Amino acid sequence: MMPHRAFLIIALLAFATCTCPLATSAVRAAGKPVISNHESGSTVRYPVVLLRGTIDSAATSLERRNTATGNDPAFMDDTRVDPARVHDDSAGRGVIWGLASTTIGATLHEMGHSFGLPHCKDPLGIMTRGFDRFNRVFTLTEPSARTRLRGAEFTAEEEAYFAPISAAYLRWSRWFQPDHTRCRDDEPPALAHDEEKHCISVESRHGVRWIGFWVGGDVVAYKDYPQDEPPKSVTLTVAEIETLLGGESLSSVTTIADNGQSSKLDLPR
């Protein structure tokens, strides 16, 4: 699984991206109101962040988690937002905590793409719309929303996370092992499709660490090789790959080698 430290690094980077001074300044310049938490007497600003062509709201800081409830105040504000002023891309929740969760979670999603991650199929995966549930990493309950009049509890199995198929890839990314000398070699792994033998071959003199199998625009299944000495060459038949895909047709293959370099091969349609 992906080390917790790596998850937290990406999460903090995503949060910092959403809450940069430029975003806060833009909100103040636009004359947006400051929302006060009357119960605690504290004030939290919610800047508007331009993200993927939409404007969402995100808290500027994660306050200290409430030790009594286990919830973080930044994701407990159920103040309704005005859809005429703020675009709601939060699965229709229509409240500050929902928009904050989606905005920061979506930033984490886009950062995943910058590290080479494709979309996956896990409904709670950061690389799907599972990022809407980013708030659950910091809370034990959810407050009310436009789509739900009462708060709700959830289990640890219902939190957003990097799905195993994504975490296994990130484990070998050069961005998460910058001190390894092997990552200074930028030679990518080789991918080939033998149409006569109906097989896929992967080769790298550094060793093959991860192979992902696509259906359309999503990586659906994978094989990884975490042992100390990964194989320098892997050959798989298209038939056995499509068994992993539940009978669906293989469209592309991605691989990452031990030196953190990756390659992708699109199969003919």
Side-chain angles (χ1 to χ4, degrees), residues 23-188:
T24 306
S25 299
V27 173
R28 291 172 180 163
K32 298 296 183 183
V34 171
I35 301 174
S36 298
N37 182 333
H38 298 292
E39 292 184 4
S40 64
S42 63
T43 299
V44 181
R45 286 184 172 84
Y46 296 90
V48 177
V49 180
L50 187 63
L51 184 65
R52 296 192 307 159
T54 63
I55 298 179
D56 296 337
S57 297
T60 58
S61 63
L62 288 177
E63 299 176 36
R64 180 173 299 174
R65 180 177 292 202
N66 185 308
T67 55
T69 65
N71 294 320
D72 195 296
F75 293 119
M76 296 303 291
D77 190 336
D78 61 358
T79 303
R80 296 289 183 94
V81 297
D82 182 356
R85 300 179 64 186
V86 178
H87 176 66
D88 182 5
D89 189 28
S90 66
R93 289 174 291 191
V95 289
I96 289 294
W97 73 263
L99 271 70
S101 179
T102 291
T103 296
I104 302 173
T107 302
L108 194 59
H109 174 103
E110 297 305 329
M111 290 182 70
H113 283 316
S114 73
F115 292 129
L117 286 180
H119 292 144
C120 67
K121 288 289 192 180
D122 191 311
L124 286 172
I126 290 294
M127 299 313 295
T128 66
R129 283 302 296 238
F131 63 68
D132 285 315
R133 307 303 175 190
F134 177 79
N135 61 295
R136 294 181 176 181
V137 177
F138 301 93
T139 65
L140 299 177
T141 60
E142 285 184 341
S144 62
R146 182 172 290 150
T147 54
R148 186 183 62 234
L149 297 180
R150 295 184 179 181
E153 296 182 351
F154 54 86
T155 67
E157 289 70 32
E158 296 173 298
E159 297 176 1
Y161 74 133
F162 278 103
I165 195 169
S166 302
Y169 178 97
L170 285 179
R171 177 178 181 180
W172 306 110
S173 168
R174 66 188 311 178
W175 300 109
F176 292 94
Q177 46 181 349
D179 296 327
H180 287 297
T181 55
R182 63 180 178 273
C183 290
R184 297 173 188 170
D185 185 343
D186 59 3
E187 179 186 349

Side-chain angles (χ1 to χ4, degrees), residues 190-192 199-204 207-211 213 223-225 227 230-237 240-241 253 255-256:
L191 272 167
C199 64
I200 301 292
S201 62
V202 187
E203 294 184 0
S204 171
V208 178
R209 284 301 189 182
W210 182 94
I211 309 173
F213 310 112
K223 293 181 75 70
D224 66 338
Y225 306 89
Q227 60 265 36
K232 300 291 193 295
S233 176
V234 176
T235 299
L236 300 165
T237 67
E240 62 183 307
I241 293 173
V253 180
T255 188
I256 187 167

